[in-house]
Amino acid sequence: MTTTSPKPTDAAEATRYRPQEIEPKWRATWAAEQRGTTPDHVPGKDNYYSLVMLPYPSGDLHIGHWYNYTGHDAFSRFMRMRGYNVMQPIGFDAFGLPAENAAIKRNVQPRDWTLANIANMHDQLKLMGANWDWSREIVSCLPDYYQWSQWLFLEFYKAGLVYRTKAPANWCPNCNTTLANEQVVNGRCERCGTEVIRKEIDQWLMRITNYADELLRFDGMDWPEKTVTMQRNWIGRSEGAEVRFTAEVRRAGKKASDADATETVEVPVFTTRPDTIFGVTFFVLAPEHPLVERITTPGRKKAVRAYVEAASHQSEIERQSTEGTKTGVFTGGYVTNPVSGARVPVWVADYVLLSYGHGAVMGVPAHDTRDFAFARTYGLPIVQVVAPEGEEPSDAAQWSESRSAMGRLVNSGAFDGTVAAEAKAAIIAEMEARGIGNRAINYRLRDWLISRQRFWGSPIPIVYCPEHGTVPVPQDQLPVLLPDHVDFKPTGESPLRYVPEFYNTTCPICAGPATRETDTLDTFICSSWYFLRYCDPGNREAPWSQDKVDQWMPVDMYIGGPEHAVMHLLYARFFVKALRDMGHLTFDEPFKRLFHQGMVLGSDNQKMSKSRGNVIAPDAVISQYGADAVRCYLMFMGPFDQGGPWNNQGVEGIARYLNRLWNVAIFAESLPATAKADATPHDITRQQHKVIKRITEHYAHLRFNTALAAAMELTNTLSAARESGEAAQHPTAYREAVAALVRLLAPLAPHLTAELWQRMGHTASVHDQDWPTFDEALTQDAIITVPVQVNGKLRATVEVAADADEATIRAVAEGDAKVQPYLEDKTIRKVIYVPGKLINFVVG
RNA sequence: GCCGAUGUGGCGAAAUGGCAGACGCGGUAGACUCAAAAUCUGCUCUCCGCAAGGGGGUGAGGGUUCGAGUCCCUCCAUCGGCACCA
């Protein structure tokens, strides 16, 4: 049966909360007054730089963006109301592979695809009601931005922090491009998941390793401990020694039959355990080690070449799958241990990586688990050289596993009996004296590969001249523009190679014919300095002016996902340190405080993905419940750094809450406006001050879930006061509590609170109000409830005046009828009294 | 294998070493209504009990303490990250 519902004619209906009407109205108002625009300086206010990781313009704003940006917006608005001049910029990290994939797939230009996505995301971002400063927007794929990425590349080049070299690179056969080591995830391409293979290729790198030691310091930085640990592990500093073994190898280009066919070369190796040098029973080279070919004896050549060949075809994933079993092959060659003089066989094994240390390992099977497994597999000798204090050396050949415990040296010639820790220093000293080795520090961190054989990135401003070689483009000739229309063929070479008007150019030095570099820059370059450009986005003379950067940097709060804990956050730190040393910046670290938001999961508690069908599209939920409800629900879900599963009923609950809040606030309009204030503070007022205190602390720590819970408590108190008639008797207390509540929720529900504040008769926006303050005295109740324990077990609660002293409370507690039975016939041995908390009788 | 995090009602979760489960969802009973929606009110960890009241309870087991979800040790489970780093 269908009936026509009556038109809303009564007063209640006319004042209903209708987010669909008020939200667009306020967004239009804010856009018209350019509310988010932040001046560089406001007299009497400190600047506060509140940064959020800029999005990649994939085309759709997903619920994860909403989560991230709502927390950032709420925190920024909170800081603004606390009196800071808050900069809250937004932009787009717009270069990258997806645009190129789209171009190949749909025959569109990456530029058109990207700009269309940005336009779409502008609309979606504006739906959030966030207080972005659109006047500072940056789009990294536009020439007025990437011109300065190129300029910075040249600064790094001049400073000797950029170099080009041919070396093995990670190569993704699907994307036809190289990847930084940091971009390889479990041996697979981070973007497409294809297994990565190794390939020799010319490429540009940045010397981030020059800053390894300084990047290990985090003095005075308010960062999650977990992220600091991850960066430390990523840099992976280890102290030890470089030991130069010697080998007789065939001279390059000579045949074995030649008279002067051989020469002695040094083979350096890094070890963290120089104290075990006398326990070396074999030596291992990485399959890619340059000496492998020359050290291999003619009889072993076939076997070694086959092994090296197989290893080069193996991806890291395949190397991993042989977990536990070590493979390798004997080269027939030997090296001499420079300390002990022992001659040991040289093997090639893929458990040794060329990229770490010197690509070689001195095999000490007795005291290293991997060396032990290798020695067992191939029947190599195992010699104990360290014995724990007070323990006799034993036959290592009989051991079932290696022993890494420290102790005193044995079987180590002149060093026998030396404590291992001292032996390390003593052996290093002897090696340095004899010129056969030295103390050394090794890092896991490698230089940053910044070349991409792609179109959709900033061109690298380098020209190759037959006469003058590699020539940087003069900085006043920037930008090197990306051509507008190109063909996309995944050939393995950048499409720029096939655009003659780009590729063919003239040498900046001699004006003769030359060619351009066709590789483009890693997009992590763009995101390593965008926070500097926000400070001075319109500057046409320089990437930024010193003056403007000094007004804002370093960033006070940086919010973004934990997936960027290492790469982006390490690169940005490196950029700032290098630019400081070049004289472009005056500070050491870009981000003072860092916060990682959690992840929104599907209602099935799983990561959202199209294949699971558990993806929540924000737009539909927003049109149903409004942006404020979605914002509040996301922040109420759980701790901001934890995320949690999406639940449709949860949004409904929050929508109901906002409606209740609305009704509680609107009710104030019906109260007499001229009422006198209460002579003594009403309970509503005490609750108000308590909640202001709590919410203020919660916001400061980005604990939005508990902030909202506290706001709900105050709302419930007001609602009860309305129902009971208390509100009518104390209209001033009620009205003031409502006014506080509306301001407290302004960061989380900006539209709703703006509307309510205006209805309360204010002409200035709620978002321009000062943050509510509290009176500490009013956060205390006049009567407090004190739990009474006997032997730690709760037996009663008693009500006493808040200022009652211990003796009074003890007397009341002891006299309580519920407590009495537990104290009868017992001796009170001890009384624990925690003021304001509890009283505990210890009886026996 | 190594490193890190997390385990609390039917669910999301609260809790500076001090009344475990705030706040919300769901459930349930009721008010209003011809009825429904919306709104409002009560109850909702569990067991025993008509009740008053009492017992148990924060992954498992130990420990420190007057007192432990919280601190320490061992173990189990789940989720992340890294992975032959010499």
Side-chain angles (χ1 to χ4, degrees):
Chain A
M1 183 177 72
T2 38
T3 50
T4 316
S5 50
K7 291 270 181 228
T9 47
D10 59 351
E13 193 63 17
T15 57
R16 268 185 58 188
Y17 170 48
R18 289 194 192 81
Q20 290 80 1
E21 287 172 22
I22 63 169
E23 290 188 354
K25 181 187 80 182
W26 283 106
R27 284 196 290 267
T29 305
W30 298 333
E33 61 192 25
Q34 299 184 309
R35 174 153 284 275
T37 304
T38 310
D40 289 318
H41 178 66
V42 174
K45 286 191 178 191
D46 287 334
N47 280 357
Y48 192 93
Y49 191 168
S50 182
L51 182 67
V52 68
M53 290 180 187
L54 81 180
Y56 175 79
S58 59
D60 259 314
L61 205 67
H62 55 73
I63 204 77
H65 288 122
W66 268 76
Y67 190 70
N68 187 190
Y69 300 153
T70 300
H72 172 250
D73 185 51
F75 180 76
S76 305
R77 287 177 178 277
F78 167 69
M79 293 306 287
R80 184 181 300 265
M81 289 177 79
R82 297 206 70 188
Y84 291 93
N85 180 41
V86 179
M87 191 217 309
Q88 202 181 327
I90 187 75
F92 294 92
D93 185 20
F95 275 134
L97 206 51
E100 228 162 308
N101 290 340
I104 293 165
K105 205 166 143 190
R106 308 181 206 175
N107 197 28
V108 293
Q109 288 298 310
R111 184 173 193 274
D112 299 338
W113 183 84
T114 303
L115 294 181
N117 283 350
I118 289 174
N120 187 38
M121 286 175 83
H122 271 157
D123 295 341
Q124 292 177 314
L125 278 167
K126 284 173 181 168
L127 268 184
M128 290 187 62
N131 198 33
W132 310 118
D133 185 345
W134 288 103
S135 75
R136 294 177 188 268
E137 179 185 5
I138 59 129
V139 177
S140 69
C141 68
L142 297 179
D144 61 2
Y145 185 84
Y146 73 70
Q147 154 179 13
W148 300 111
S149 296
Q150 296 174 344
W151 188 91
L152 289 166
F153 170 90
L154 293 169
E155 287 296 295
F156 278 72
Y157 184 85
K158 283 192 277 184
L161 290 170
V162 167
Y163 63 102
R164 184 169 149 99
T165 186
K166 197 184 255 306
N170 300 307
W171 177 262
C172 172
N174 182 48
C175 304
N176 270 331
T177 186
T178 50
L179 300 169
N181 290 317
E182 290 90 337
Q183 292 170 306
V184 179
V185 179
N186 292 328
R188 290 173 179 275
C189 172
E190 181 187 58
R191 305 273 189 199
C192 71
T194 307
E195 279 187 12
V196 172
I197 60 169
R198 288 192 306 277
K199 188 175 173 178
E200 290 273 323
I201 194 164
D202 276 322
Q203 54 202 319
W204 290 95
L205 291 96
M206 279 206 179
R207 292 193 200 276
I208 189 172
T209 52
N210 280 15
Y211 286 85
D213 268 322
E214 197 189 337
L215 287 167
L216 283 166
R217 293 206 301 270
F218 295 85
D219 312 330
M221 289 162 70
D222 185 3
W223 278 34
E225 196 50 53
K226 197 187 157 166
T227 307
V228 170
T229 304
M230 279 174 77
Q231 292 210 349
R232 286 216 171 100
N233 292 342
W234 191 268
I235 294 165
R237 182 184 202 269
S238 41
E239 290 186 28
E242 178 184 305
V243 187
R244 291 185 284 278
F245 282 63
T246 54
E248 264 198 12
V249 296
R250 202 167 50 258
R251 277 184 198 275
K254 295 278 183 182
K255 290 196 170 129
S257 54
D258 292 351
D260 57 348
T262 62
E263 62 178 333
T264 302
V265 296
E266 289 185 336
V267 192
V269 65
F270 176 77
T271 178
T272 54
R273 292 292 303 270
D275 51 313
T276 63
I277 188 85
F278 284 84
V280 176
T281 57
F282 62 95
F283 198 89
V284 193
L285 296 174
E288 309 86 353
H289 197 285
L291 224 52
V292 168
E293 184 71 10
R294 287 160 67 201
I295 206 166
T296 302
T297 56
R300 302 294 305 158
K301 207 139 254 181
K302 220 174 147 184
V304 169
R305 280 192 178 157
Y307 185 83
V308 170
E309 168 74 10
S312 76
H313 279 287
Q314 268 189 334
S315 68
E316 298 265 328
I317 269 266
E318 284 164 330
R319 279 195 183 189
Q320 289 166 36
S321 68
T322 59
E323 203 169 37
T325 36
K326 301 268 175 286
T327 66
V329 63
F330 179 44
T331 63
Y334 289 83
V335 290
T336 302
N337 182 332
V339 180
S340 70
R343 214 166 155 261
V344 294
V346 177
W347 288 63
V348 171
D350 63 7
Y351 81 92
V352 177
L353 305 179
L354 186 66
S355 52
Y356 186 80
H358 296 282
V361 168
M362 57 178 222
V364 186
H367 305 292
D368 181 277
T369 47
R370 283 148 311 155
D371 295 347
F372 186 88
F374 192 77
R376 268 291 146 80
T377 306
Y378 294 103
L380 296 161
I382 302 172
V383 177
Q384 180 179 18
V385 289
V386 178
E389 207 68 48
E391 211 173 275
E392 288 300 311
S394 56
D395 181 5
Q398 307 300 317
W399 293 358
S400 58
E401 58 183 9
S402 66
R403 301 180 181 177
S404 57
M406 298 303 250
R408 285 181 190 274
L409 265 55
V410 294
N411 298 325
S412 296
F415 296 96
D416 276 1
T418 314
V419 174
E422 292 166 17
K424 275 189 184 180
I427 288 171
I428 289 171
E430 169 162 338
M431 291 195 300
E432 286 180 344
R434 290 170 53 194
I436 54 173
N438 47 264
R439 198 179 96 85
I441 291 162
N442 200 38
Y443 299 94
R444 181 188 175 278
L445 181 71
R446 298 164 204 168
D447 276 340
W448 173 14
L449 182 75
I450 55 167
S451 296
R452 296 291 179 273
Q453 290 69 48
R454 293 177 198 161
F455 168 74
W456 193 233
S458 167
I460 294 175
I462 291 286
V463 164
Y464 299 107
C465 168
E467 196 67 28
H468 297 94
T470 302
V471 182
V473 174
Q475 281 165 309
D476 58 9
Q477 290 176 25
L478 297 177
V480 176
L481 283 171
L482 267 182
D484 264 345
H485 294 283
V486 290
D487 281 337
F488 285 94
K489 302 274 187 305
T491 58
E493 276 183 293
S494 168
L496 293 173
R497 175 67 186 79
Y498 304 101
V499 182
E501 55 277 27
F502 176 86
Y503 185 62
N504 298 315
T505 184
T506 53
C507 172
I509 298 172
C510 64
T515 58
R516 282 195 194 280
E517 169 63 63
T518 57
D519 280 2
T520 52
L521 289 172
D522 179 8
T523 57
F524 276 114
I525 296 273
C526 311
S527 56
S528 291
W529 73 280
Y530 75 104
F531 44 89
L532 299 168
R533 186 67 177 172
Y534 279 146
C535 300
D536 194 6
N539 197 323
R540 293 183 172 276
E541 312 304 317
W544 58 79
S545 71
Q546 199 75 249
D547 171 51
K548 294 213 172 187
V549 157
D550 285 346
Q551 306 224 32
W552 291 107
M553 289 296 295
V555 168
D556 293 285
M557 170 62 98
Y558 194 20
I559 299 179
E563 67 274 16
H564 292 296
V566 180
M567 300 190 310
H568 161 60
L569 287 166
L570 199 61
Y571 295 148
R573 293 180 64 216
F574 159 61
F575 248 59
V576 162
K577 291 172 190 302
L579 289 165
R580 173 205 59 199
D581 291 344
M582 292 173 213
H584 294 306
L585 297 173
T586 56
F587 49 92
D588 302 316
E589 288 285 345
F591 316 122
K592 279 199 282 204
R593 187 173 173 194
L594 175 69
F595 195 97
H596 294 305
Q597 84 278 4
M599 196 195 300
V600 184
L601 304 171
S603 48
D604 53 0
N605 228 322
Q606 302 276 312
K607 204 167 165 171
M608 285 190 198
S609 73
K610 279 179 189 160
S611 58
R612 284 202 186 87
N614 60 354
V615 177
I616 301 295
D619 292 7
V621 196
I622 293 145
S623 57
Q624 188 173 358
Y625 300 106
D628 283 341
V630 173
R631 289 170 61 110
C632 289
Y633 171 63
L634 287 169
M635 294 300 102
F636 188 60
M637 217 159 55
F640 186 45
D641 56 3
Q642 192 181 297
W646 177 273
N647 178 343
N648 279 322
Q649 285 173 328
V651 198
E652 242 170 77
I654 286 288
R656 272 206 300 270
Y657 167 68
L658 293 182
N659 191 46
R660 206 157 68 236
L661 170 72
W662 173 273
N663 291 336
V664 157
I666 292 292
F667 180 73
E669 294 173 10
S670 68
L671 295 172
T674 54
K676 279 191 303 188
D678 295 298
T680 54
H682 191 264
D683 283 349
I684 291 174
T685 305
R686 290 188 184 276
Q687 171 85 342
Q688 171 196 328
H689 284 257
K690 268 192 267 193
V691 163
I692 291 172
K693 182 181 182 183
R694 278 165 64 194
I695 292 186
T696 303
E697 283 164 11
H698 290 319
Y699 272 118
H701 295 99
L702 293 89
R703 293 192 299 244
F704 304 113
N705 56 330
T706 44
L708 261 166
M712 286 171 178
E713 286 181 44
L714 181 55
T715 311
N716 291 345
T717 297
L718 292 171
S719 173
R722 180 190 62 191
E723 296 297 313
S724 68
E726 278 289 292
Q729 284 166 36
H730 304 272
T732 305
Y734 187 91
R735 200 191 314 277
E736 280 175 6
V738 167
L741 186 56
V742 167
R743 279 176 292 160
L744 290 171
L745 286 170
L748 286 165
H751 311 85
L752 167 61
T753 52
E755 179 76 11
L756 286 175
W757 192 253
Q758 188 186 53
R759 288 185 66 117
M760 288 163 75
H762 301 283
T763 47
S765 168
V766 70
H767 300 296
D768 292 330
Q769 300 308 306
D770 288 340
W771 190 247
T773 54
F774 61 90
D775 177 347
E776 186 66 46
L778 289 178
T779 64
Q780 311 296 327
D781 286 319
I783 303 284
I784 58 170
T785 305
V786 177
V788 183
Q789 293 184 342
V790 179
N791 285 345
K793 271 195 154 318
L794 180 73
R795 293 304 176 188
T797 58
V798 294
E799 301 213 323
V800 296
D803 55 1
D805 61 8
E806 179 175 354
T808 312
I809 290 171
R810 178 174 172 169
V812 172
E814 265 184 273
D816 190 273
K818 285 180 190 167
V819 178
Q820 280 275 311
Y822 296 95
L823 298 181
E824 265 169 5
D825 309 327
K826 302 272 171 56
T827 317
I828 296 175
R829 298 187 191 282
K830 200 171 168 186
V831 179
I832 313 276
Y833 170 67
V834 185
K837 287 291 183 189
L838 60 43
I839 185 159
N840 183 18
F841 296 100
V842 183
V843 302

